[in-house]
Amino acid sequence: MVFEMPQKVMFKHCDPAGIVFYPRYFEMMNDCVEAFFDVVLGTPFERLHGSGRAVPTAQIETRFLAPSRHGDPLVLQLVVTAVGNSSMQFAMTALCDDEKRFETRSTLVHTNERGRPSRWPDELRTKLQSCLGDAS
């Protein structure tokens, strides 16, 4: 299953050279993860984080392949690649037309109210497992 989120490159994303300033890509990535939790898993971050739990990023590896400019229509694609007891791994790619702009692999960890790793709630774990895909 591939979750897609369109993201137009806005002025706020760009540096003075007119290309996306790389930390803004990480904000876009997080927006895509947050939308995935809301739309696909039915667990909006405001409810998850409001309960004292969270899903912080434990690891991320990103390759920036081509610059994006103000106005470019990106599509971020997220694929769940693994689900552990308290973690999930995903791959994400940003495309503009058929050109890859970045690709990333990341691990999120479900944490409890004390910020310690905590087993996924059964319902959420089942939904995550149903989303497993191949990101090769």
Side-chain angles (χ1 to χ4, degrees):
M1 185 237 137
V2 177
F3 174 72
E4 293 190 344
M5 185 190 89
Q7 172 64 69
K8 180 180 177 181
V9 174
M10 309 295 284
F11 178 77
K12 68 180 181 176
H13 298 133
C14 298
D15 64 16
I19 61 174
V20 172
F21 182 45
Y22 76 93
R24 301 296 177 239
Y25 277 133
F26 290 101
E27 293 172 349
M28 292 179 200
M29 292 172 203
N30 193 72
D31 289 348
C32 185
V33 168
E34 188 168 343
F36 169 78
F37 268 75
D38 188 7
V39 173
V40 176
L41 302 179
T43 307
F45 268 22
E46 61 269 21
R47 187 170 70 213
L48 181 69
H49 290 239
S51 69
R53 298 175 294 147
V55 285
T57 301
Q59 181 177 348
I60 192 165
E61 181 180 336
T62 304
R63 291 182 55 217
F64 302 104
L65 304 167
S68 296
R69 301 189 182 287
H70 188 196
D72 282 353
L74 303 180
V75 175
L76 280 65
Q77 298 178 328
L78 182 151
V79 176
V80 176
T81 57
V83 179
N85 287 326
S86 62
S87 66
M88 70 168 277
Q89 295 175 356
F90 67 86
M92 187 184 299
T93 303
L95 300 170
C96 182
D97 298 321
D98 291 329
E99 182 180 38
K100 279 188 186 178
R101 300 300 174 87
F102 71 74
E103 57 188 17
T104 191
R105 292 188 175 274
S106 185
T107 301
L108 303 179
V109 176
H110 178 259
T111 61
N112 61 21
E113 299 81 5
R114 296 180 312 282
R116 303 300 308 156
S118 176
R119 182 172 173 79
W120 291 108
D122 290 339
E123 181 181 351
L124 194 50
R125 181 179 171 78
T126 299
K127 287 179 182 179
L128 282 167
Q129 287 175 324
S130 74
C131 294
L132 280 169
D134 180 22
S136 50

